[in-house]
Amino acid sequence: MDDVKTPSREERKSALSGLGTSRKRVEDARFTQGKGNYVDDIKLKGMLFGDFVRSPVAHARVKNVDTSAALALPGVHAVLTAADLEPLGLHWMPTLAGDKQMVLADGKVLFQGQEVAFVVGDDRYAVADGVSLVEVEYEELPVVTDPFKAELKDAPILREDIADQKEGAHGARRHPNHIFTWEAGEKEETNKVLEEAEVVADEMVYYHRTHPCPLETCGCVASMDKVNGKLTVWGTFQAPHAVRTVASLISSIPEHNIRIISPDIGGGFGNKVGVYPGYVCSIVASIVTGVPIKWVEDRMDNLMATAFARDYWMHGKISATKEGKITGLWCHTTADHGAFDACADPTKFPAGFMNICTGSYDIPVAYLAVDGVYTNKAPGGVAYRCSFRVTEASYFIERMIEVLAQKLGMDSAELRSKNFIKKEQFPYTSALGWEYDSGDYHQAWEKAMTSVNYKQLREDQAKQLQLFKDGKSRKLMGIGLSHFTEIVGAGPVKNCDILGLGMFDACEIRIHPTGSAIARLGTISQGQGHATTFAQILASEIGIPASDITLEEGDTDTAPYGLGTYGSRSTPVAGAATAMAGRKIRAKAQMIAAYLLEVHDDDLEWDVDRFSVKGAPEKFKTMKEIAFASYNQAIPGVEPGLEAVSYYDPPNMTYPNGAYVVVMEIDVDTGVSDIKQVYALDDCGTRINPMIIEGQVHGGLTEALAISMGQEIAYDEQGNVMTGTLMDFFIPTAWETPNYETDYTETPSPHHPIGAKGVGESPNVGGVSAFSNAVHDAFKPFGLTQAHMPHDHWRVWKIAKDLGLHS
Amino acid sequence: MIPSAFTFYKPDNIDKAVSLMADFGDEARVIAGGHSLIPVMKQRLTDIKHLIDLSGINEIKGIEITDNQISIGAMTTQVELINNEELFKIAPIIREASLQIADPQVRNLGTIGGNVANGDPANDMPGLMQLLDATYKLSGSNGVRDVKAREFYEGAYFTVREDDEILISISFEAPSGGYAYEKQKRKIGDYATAAAGVILKVENNMCSSASIALTNLSDTPVYCNKAVDIILGKEIDNNILTQVIEACVEQSDPVADQRGPVEFKRYVAGIVIKKALTRAIERT
Ligand SMILES: Cc1cc2nc3c(=O)[nH]c(=O)nc-3n(C[C@H](O)[C@H](O)[C@H](O)COP(=O)(O)OP(=O)(O)OC[C@H]3O[C@@H](n4cnc5c(N)ncnc54)[C@H](O)[C@@H]3O)c2cc1C
């Protein structure tokens, strides 16, 4: 039978759509047809709706909450206030950062938009009417919006509940509005190096307050089944298992009686990691009313009240020799946490991984201190598409490099090159204590500089500058460089936990008799495409085509325990668990194959999708055959079935990195910037799905563009949110989004089972510095050293004005 | 983001609509495309008990062109203004300005009537109507009357329209000469940081007719009569242009918002006026 061709090894491999394949996203069929299933799509019998009465003011005593008119309204079933929650001990709740937060205003409000009462009614209309009828009497108090004024002697005390507490969750507090001081590195030694240095650059770098603003806002449906005592909550949760444990701890409902389900999530970006008053109130309301309760934020609620990101004032000093060899780095950060410390960081890291702020550079000594303070702003401080303050750290060092280059009179590309950690230095221990796993920064940098033709760009820029100086043009050209190193994949249980829960993750695999499979993970996709990529990892590990593997996440009753998806941890941690579970499957499969082929285990070798006898490749058993055998053969010493589970505790973090270049043209009169080129080279180790990587990079770059060029949560002095709608909160459309050129180098992580490092957040981390540096670079010839983001039209115009370019 | 309850009416002719308005007084409001009204209703910034939908009234839809006279029904959508080739031929500035409003979704529903009647200084059409010296036809319980666009606006959201009056059409003479509508905004879908329109004719090297207007640079659209006086009958040179721009900026009175402080807006006003003048002159 000549016409039956045995597929070649390569053909068998490509039939798997495993690692390295640009497999199409399996999620998209339902999303592009409007068939996703989001929280707001969940409709249960008898379900009621809930919504909040929110504070219109930023700081006030709540003298009285009168719910009678609202309760009298037909269609309104209940109105919860702090007084109702207090007997249950639920008027306050713990935050992920070791602080506590009011669920409903307990005598006081501390930020505009704070939850004061929860109205439950038949439908959204009845509830909205009810909300407008709740009368709250406020006695306004002086407002603190400036973190530098929070610790003044006569500053109004925001958190009266802990005013006298000298010890916080992270050590000593020196003022009622002070949360913590967190230090890393060598203070004395760094100061000494700075004092004796030939050159020191000193700058205040502000990374403004912004917001992850996922297109789907936060929400949940809570359903307490009074017959069996089981609570089910569908919600926009980036960490469903952690939510279950926290819910059990604060509600005293046994954990086995709580089921948390994250259905499809329309973007998270860190906004959906924390626990919000809406969840608690929905649960309580469901217990009280005995029917399911739905709560879904509107856009203004989301921007005003659920977790913001950044808001770090980073004062830096960086020293170097005259030749540009960096000798030390010092940083003091004032972190504006808003009214409650509700950051979602690993517990031992109150300032997240801000101590990655030595970046990609071999800096011998460094010191970092972060002071967290309370202000009358919304709580949060979440990792907006980044791993716990890595964006802040990366922006800080990439600005400091630019400022130092300016001071040295040196090209900043050259300065970077001169100070990169060298390939042979990996694994590299940084001055602030991290062990970088791998990297080849010089290779990436050179590739980037060649690809964009850096020399030519600088020549073009000089020409444009001359035209400007000659009065022939009102435009300046800016070249923004950035080289970032992230620290992702939290993380090793020895130093990473959230509220005591170790940050491992898990995968459970079950192979069906006919050779297809289901895999369940402790993570939850919010657009990352886990169902696509994790199936690819498995396909390569166990030789079953990716299309024959179902992937499930987000249901705590069925998925193994894991800490969820944020901080680029899914691939580094759950991806590793997937590979390890796959290897356990393979180990058992090998025993089964040996039995079937009547050889010793060691006589077999793995060959893409089968075990074959060493030296006799025509004798083999495919994974499909082995799967079937595992269900129908009585194999001595081997249990039936083919399943495995792996709980993976990563030995280290992974360190994705990359080199980005942005070129823009800036009109000094209008402040309008025109982005001419965006080049992004990413090294995320082993590349699982190049197409998904590219998609992630495009998305992250667009967020970076938004953040650096206009997106912010702005407050006026009274603490009013000035950017409460998408008219003022910048989300780029296709129109504002430039073309992106993506590129890569591939330096696998040595400790990850497949060498993958994670990429979803890299473009946000690296992109912001590149865009912002381009703006700074344009004005560098006129002496600009630092101008805070966002670089929207008027702020760019102001730079030009202050430099005297408008006369 | 849920409005308070209201009763909804959908009359099929203008008289019925007017009589509903007369019955309910200031508790009633007409709705056209809803793209300015619905957002404020959802935020409960306004309490409307009776909502009268104009979309069933055919007599106030469509574009009529006779000789040099253009009449546009209030319920004509912005996308219809953009797509109408006849209108483009005779008054191309309408398309140029309309394309700078919001985004396609908004323009598919937003009407010219709603845009000019709203009284929002950020809307682009009122400025355009200053430029064209348009006339608004209003129908109320006391009959029909004409009001000049240049006399219609009193302050932000305040116009001379009586509570029971409905704008039925907008008419103007086809402009002649060079034209331009220039708008600086932060992004697609944004209102103007500053916008300016210019229509101008040059004969024998002299400016023989001119019109200049500004959007979102005061609490009403601004017709720059002082600047027009300066340029009329003059030979156009840099000196005159500088004076014209100064006179326009002088007449502006912007307020600070997230787009920027007053000082910035006045500066940018000067820039957009200059751009509009330059382009209009190029097109003469
Ligand atoms: C995201 C977004 C961006 C936008 N950007 C811009 C922009 O850049 N430039 C711009 O000009 N506009 C912009 N708009 C507004 C848009 O053009 C509106 O459609 C327009 O302002 C109002 O027209 P409408 O038909 O939607 O009126 P509606 O919203 O229905 O009505 C607006 C007001 O006018 C009154 N009204 C309507 N018709 C009549 C009538 N015939 N007689 C008397 N009163 C009447 C209504 O009672 C109401 O008070 C934007 C809107 C949105 C949502």
Side-chain angles (χ1 to χ4, degrees):
Chain A
M1 294 220 295
D2 305 332
D3 53 338
V4 180
K5 209 172 139 262
T6 359
S8 70
R9 201 162 182 277
E10 276 317 304
E11 282 165 339
R12 285 190 282 121
K13 203 168 163 189
S14 87
L16 297 178
S17 289
L19 285 185
T21 317
S22 282
R23 178 181 186 222
K24 280 197 180 156
R25 285 166 41 102
V26 296
E27 295 88 345
D28 290 346
R30 69 175 188 279
F31 291 150
T32 53
Q33 294 178 52
K35 297 273 167 61
N37 182 40
Y38 298 92
V39 165
D40 211 12
D41 294 321
I42 290 162
K43 295 180 175 81
L44 303 179
K45 195 158 161 270
M47 185 172 78
L48 299 178
F49 291 77
D51 201 1
F52 286 108
V53 175
R54 293 179 181 278
S55 172
V57 293
H59 196 194
R61 242 172 253 301
V62 177
K63 306 293 277 187
N64 189 38
V65 183
D66 182 351
T67 60
S68 53
L71 281 169
L73 194 74
V76 170
H77 292 239
V79 182
L80 299 179
T81 63
D84 301 310
L85 298 181
E86 191 172 354
L88 306 168
L90 289 174
H91 56 318
W92 288 74
M93 62 177 183
T95 69
L96 296 182
D99 194 0
K100 55 181 179 156
Q101 173 177 355
M102 284 183 227
V103 173
L104 291 171
D106 183 21
K108 213 180 165 185
V109 286
L110 289 162
F111 64 93
Q112 190 184 49
Q114 187 178 331
E115 299 81 358
V116 177
F118 190 68
V119 178
V120 177
D122 281 336
D123 52 38
R124 292 196 163 100
Y125 296 88
V127 171
D129 289 343
V131 165
S132 70
L133 289 175
V134 174
E135 276 180 41
V136 187
E137 200 186 315
Y138 298 99
E139 180 189 293
E140 289 196 48
L141 296 167
V143 170
V144 184
T145 55
D146 179 346
F148 293 101
K149 292 190 181 148
E151 289 193 66
L152 295 181
K153 231 173 110 218
D154 54 353
I157 294 175
L158 307 191
R159 291 288 300 280
E160 286 160 347
D161 58 304
I162 49 166
D164 301 327
Q165 222 168 282
K166 299 269 181 268
E167 275 293 308
H170 309 286
R173 297 169 69 223
R174 61 183 181 216
H175 184 283
N177 294 334
H178 179 245
I179 310 172
F180 63 82
T181 302
W182 187 63
E183 287 178 285
E186 304 292 335
K187 187 175 181 176
E188 252 88 79
E189 223 183 299
T190 306
N191 282 337
K192 189 159 168 276
V193 167
L194 288 170
E195 266 161 37
E196 292 165 3
E198 291 174 359
V199 183
V200 178
D202 183 329
E203 199 57 69
M204 174 64 96
V205 177
Y206 179 44
Y207 196 143
H208 61 291
R209 179 175 279 237
T210 181
H211 195 283
C213 194
L215 279 192
E216 179 205 27
T217 57
C218 299
C220 72
V221 176
S223 177
M224 183 73 199
D225 183 332
K226 292 214 165 162
V227 176
N228 64 14
K230 183 143 185 167
L231 171 71
T232 306
V233 188
W234 290 259
T236 48
F237 305 128
Q238 288 182 239
H241 284 98
V243 169
R244 185 184 72 191
T245 303
V246 172
S248 174
L249 290 174
I250 66 177
S251 71
S252 323
I253 300 171
E255 201 167 355
H256 70 280
N257 269 345
I258 302 178
R259 180 181 182 188
I260 303 291
I261 302 174
S262 297
D264 283 331
I265 298 184
F269 313 115
N271 184 236
K272 295 168 179 169
V273 174
V275 172
Y276 294 121
Y279 308 152
V280 178
C281 289
S282 302
I283 293 171
V284 172
S286 180
I287 294 171
V288 170
T289 60
V291 293
I293 304 291
K294 179 185 279 187
W295 163 74
V296 176
E297 291 176 319
D298 66 31
R299 177 64 55 203
M300 293 179 79
D301 297 338
N302 180 256
L303 287 173
M304 243 201 295
T306 38
F308 77 94
R310 326 294 193 228
D311 217 345
Y312 259 32
W313 290 89
M314 302 171 287
H315 180 197
K317 294 178 204 171
I318 186 166
S319 62
T321 63
K322 283 201 281 286
E323 295 73 37
K325 187 81 196 106
I326 300 172
T327 54
L329 179 71
W330 177 97
C331 176
H332 179 268
T333 295
T334 301
D336 184 340
H337 284 239
F340 307 98
D341 187 6
C343 291
D345 294 318
T347 304
K348 295 186 189 76
F349 298 88
F353 301 150
M354 181 61 197
N355 56 346
I356 192 74
C357 66
T358 52
S360 308
Y361 311 101
D362 183 13
I363 302 180
V365 60
Y367 170 71
L368 164 73
V370 182
D371 278 300
V373 298
Y374 292 122
T375 60
N376 289 117
K377 299 181 192 168
V382 295
Y384 172 6
R385 206 176 187 144
C386 88
S387 181
F388 317 112
R389 307 290 186 182
V390 168
T391 332
E392 288 90 327
S394 184
Y395 183 63
F396 167 73
I397 184 67
E398 288 305 289
R399 282 301 311 138
M400 291 311 294
I401 289 285
E402 288 293 328
V403 177
L404 176 63
Q406 228 166 323
K407 190 129 201 186
L408 288 162
M410 184 184 272
D411 185 289
S412 69
E414 190 192 329
L415 179 63
R416 283 183 176 84
S417 218
K418 212 172 209 152
N419 290 283
F420 281 143
I421 301 161
K422 293 187 193 72
K423 189 180 165 189
E424 57 274 17
Q425 286 176 281
F426 291 93
Y428 169 86
T429 305
S430 74
L432 294 176
W434 292 111
E435 189 188 297
Y436 292 35
D437 60 350
S438 66
D440 189 345
Y441 301 166
H442 283 102
Q443 182 203 10
W445 195 246
E446 272 150 39
K447 191 169 182 188
M449 293 301 108
T450 315
S451 301
V452 300
N453 199 348
Y454 182 64
K455 209 168 143 258
Q456 183 65 48
L457 284 177
R458 286 287 176 209
E459 282 167 21
D460 295 348
Q461 182 185 35
K463 273 187 215 142
Q464 183 58 38
L465 181 62
Q466 199 52 51
L467 288 175
F468 180 86
K469 286 183 173 163
D470 295 345
K472 291 186 183 131
S473 169
R474 295 295 288 161
K475 291 185 175 156
L476 293 169
M477 181 175 154
I479 303 166
L481 307 178
S482 138
H483 190 287
F484 64 93
T485 296
E486 286 187 275
I487 168 169
V488 309
V493 174
K494 63 178 188 285
N495 59 358
C496 291
D497 70 274
I498 289 187
L499 296 179
L501 303 168
M503 297 181 76
F504 59 83
D505 222 292
C507 173
E508 201 176 272
I509 303 167
R510 186 179 307 162
I511 313 287
H512 307 313
T514 52
S516 61
I518 181 163
R520 296 192 170 100
L521 291 97
T523 44
I524 175 70
S525 184
Q526 311 123 38
Q528 292 89 342
H530 291 175
T532 309
T533 50
F534 288 136
Q536 289 181 254
I537 296 177
L538 263 188
S540 289
E541 290 292 341
I542 62 176
I544 290 176
S547 55
D548 290 352
I549 302 169
T550 296
L551 207 115
E552 253 184 37
E553 299 174 306
D555 182 341
T556 56
D557 264 9
T558 55
Y561 206 99
L563 267 267
T565 295
Y566 43 85
S568 268
R569 64 185 299 283
S570 296
T571 295
V573 192
T578 305
M580 297 310 270
R583 287 173 196 181
K584 288 185 187 174
I585 295 274
R586 217 162 78 186
K588 183 170 177 185
Q590 185 163 3
M591 293 195 270
I592 298 170
Y595 173 80
L596 297 174
L597 291 163
E598 296 175 8
V599 295
H600 192 271
D601 289 7
D602 295 343
D603 296 332
L604 293 176
E605 62 187 359
W606 177 248
D607 177 22
V608 181
D609 56 354
R610 62 192 58 184
F611 279 104
S612 55
V613 176
K614 284 179 188 162
E618 71 287 355
K619 293 176 83 181
F620 62 84
K621 287 289 166 192
T622 64
M623 201 62 186
K624 214 174 149 102
E625 294 168 315
I626 296 168
F628 199 61
S630 77
Y631 282 86
N632 71 1
Q633 300 261 343
I635 304 171
V638 179
E639 284 179 9
L642 195 49
E643 297 189 11
V645 57
S646 167
Y647 281 77
Y648 188 80
D649 178 10
N652 189 5
M653 312 287 288
T654 62
Y655 296 76
N657 50 83
Y660 289 6
V661 183
V662 167
V663 181
M664 62 172 84
E665 203 170 71
I666 292 173
D667 185 318
V668 299
D669 288 324
T670 59
V672 175
S673 20
D674 183 8
I675 299 181
K676 297 289 186 195
Q677 187 179 8
V678 180
Y679 169 90
L681 178 150
D682 278 283
D683 192 329
C684 58
T686 303
R687 289 155 53 86
I688 299 166
N689 181 326
M691 186 179 68
I692 285 194
I693 292 174
E694 183 156 7
Q696 291 290 313
V697 172
H698 283 205
L701 284 172
T702 307
E703 282 177 342
L705 165 83
I707 295 167
S708 48
M709 304 310 285
Q711 185 177 89
E712 66 174 321
I713 296 290
Y715 286 84
D716 70 7
E717 281 183 6
Q718 285 76 49
N720 296 306
V721 180
M722 306 303 286
T723 47
T725 76
L726 296 188
M727 181 60 79
D728 288 314
F729 185 86
F730 179 38
I731 301 267
T733 66
W735 190 266
E736 289 81 25
T737 305
N739 184 47
Y740 300 128
E741 295 162 55
T742 57
D743 203 347
Y744 68 98
T745 54
E746 194 162 353
T747 317
S749 167
H751 62 77
H752 186 279
I754 61 163
K757 290 188 169 186
V759 75
E761 303 178 329
S762 305
N764 193 321
V765 174
V768 170
S769 316
F771 286 108
S772 179
N773 279 345
V775 174
H776 285 92
D777 186 66
F779 292 103
K780 201 158 68 178
F782 305 95
L784 177 73
T785 50
Q786 178 63 25
H788 301 318
M789 295 188 291
H791 305 300
D792 54 359
H793 297 171
W794 86 263
R795 287 183 176 94
V796 170
W797 173 87
K798 181 85 169 32
I799 298 173
K801 177 179 185 280
D802 291 347
L803 293 173
L805 303 180
H806 286 161
S807 47
Chain B
M1 291 296 234
I2 304 260
S4 51
F6 53 84
T7 323
F8 185 75
Y9 307 84
K10 194 170 176 183
D12 57 9
N13 68 55
I14 199 72
D15 292 342
K16 283 188 199 161
V18 168
S19 96
L20 283 168
M21 293 284 273
D23 289 351
F24 300 127
D26 63 3
E27 290 198 334
R29 200 71 86 77
V30 297
I31 180 163
H35 271 60
S36 288
L37 187 56
I38 291 175
V40 291
M41 288 174 68
K42 282 178 151 188
Q43 290 181 57
R44 299 197 175 209
L45 297 174
T46 168
D47 189 19
I48 295 163
K49 298 261 183 312
H50 303 279
L51 196 62
I52 302 161
D53 183 2
L54 300 182
S55 68
I57 307 176
N58 289 329
E59 59 198 287
I60 58 171
K61 290 179 185 168
I63 301 164
E64 255 174 59
I65 302 172
T66 32
D67 302 329
N68 247 1
Q69 205 54 37
I70 298 159
S71 174
I72 303 176
M75 285 301 289
T76 309
T77 60
Q78 293 155 13
V79 71
E80 286 165 339
L81 299 178
I82 292 167
N83 290 344
N84 189 300
E85 290 303 327
E86 298 300 306
L87 183 62
F88 177 63
K89 252 181 239 152
I90 185 166
I93 192 165
I94 303 280
R95 181 183 288 178
E96 176 160 312
S98 301
L99 278 171
Q100 297 182 60
I101 294 177
D103 53 46
Q105 285 98 321
V106 172
R107 300 195 296 256
N108 283 340
L109 279 173
T111 65
I112 185 170
N115 198 301
V116 302
N118 193 23
D120 182 348
N123 279 351
D124 289 288
M125 289 286 164
L128 188 64
M129 296 306 143
Q130 306 303 301
L131 197 61
L132 294 164
D133 195 14
T135 302
Y136 299 166
K137 201 174 275 302
L138 300 167
S139 179
S141 26
N142 290 332
V144 174
R145 64 171 176 142
D146 285 343
V147 180
K148 298 298 281 178
R150 289 179 189 168
E151 283 150 20
F152 187 73
Y153 300 95
E154 294 180 323
Y157 302 100
F158 284 98
T159 67
V160 304
R161 187 181 65 82
E162 298 293 339
D163 277 344
D164 69 349
E165 282 182 316
I166 296 175
L167 172 69
I168 53 177
S169 70
I170 293 142
S171 56
F172 51 90
E173 203 177 296
S176 62
Y179 66 93
Y181 190 78
E182 278 285 343
K183 174 174 173 179
Q184 178 163 337
K185 55 184 174 184
R186 294 169 298 180
K187 58 177 179 185
I188 284 296
D190 192 18
Y191 292 97
T193 301
V198 172
I199 297 176
L200 154 163
K201 215 154 137 182
V202 182
E203 280 165 325
N204 306 324
N205 256 345
M206 298 286 186
C207 175
S208 60
S209 76
S211 182
I212 306 175
L214 311 176
T215 292
N216 216 9
L217 286 164
S218 186
D219 66 345
T220 61
V222 179
Y223 173 64
C224 304
N225 57 326
K226 289 182 189 147
V228 169
D229 288 346
I230 292 172
I231 201 168
L232 266 186
K234 301 275 170 44
E235 196 174 322
I236 298 176
D237 57 21
N238 278 341
N239 180 27
I240 281 289
L241 287 180
T242 307
Q243 288 178 44
V244 166
I245 294 165
E246 269 170 20
C248 290
V249 174
E250 187 71 21
Q251 269 188 284
S252 76
D253 186 14
V255 290
D257 58 18
Q258 286 309 111
R259 293 176 186 84
V262 169
E263 188 193 12
F264 165 66
K265 290 194 173 181
R266 287 172 68 93
Y267 191 95
V268 171
I271 303 287
V272 293
I273 296 159
K274 186 174 179 182
K275 284 185 180 169
L277 280 166
T278 312
R279 222 146 47 79
I281 292 165
E282 276 166 21
R283 282 168 165 170
T284 53

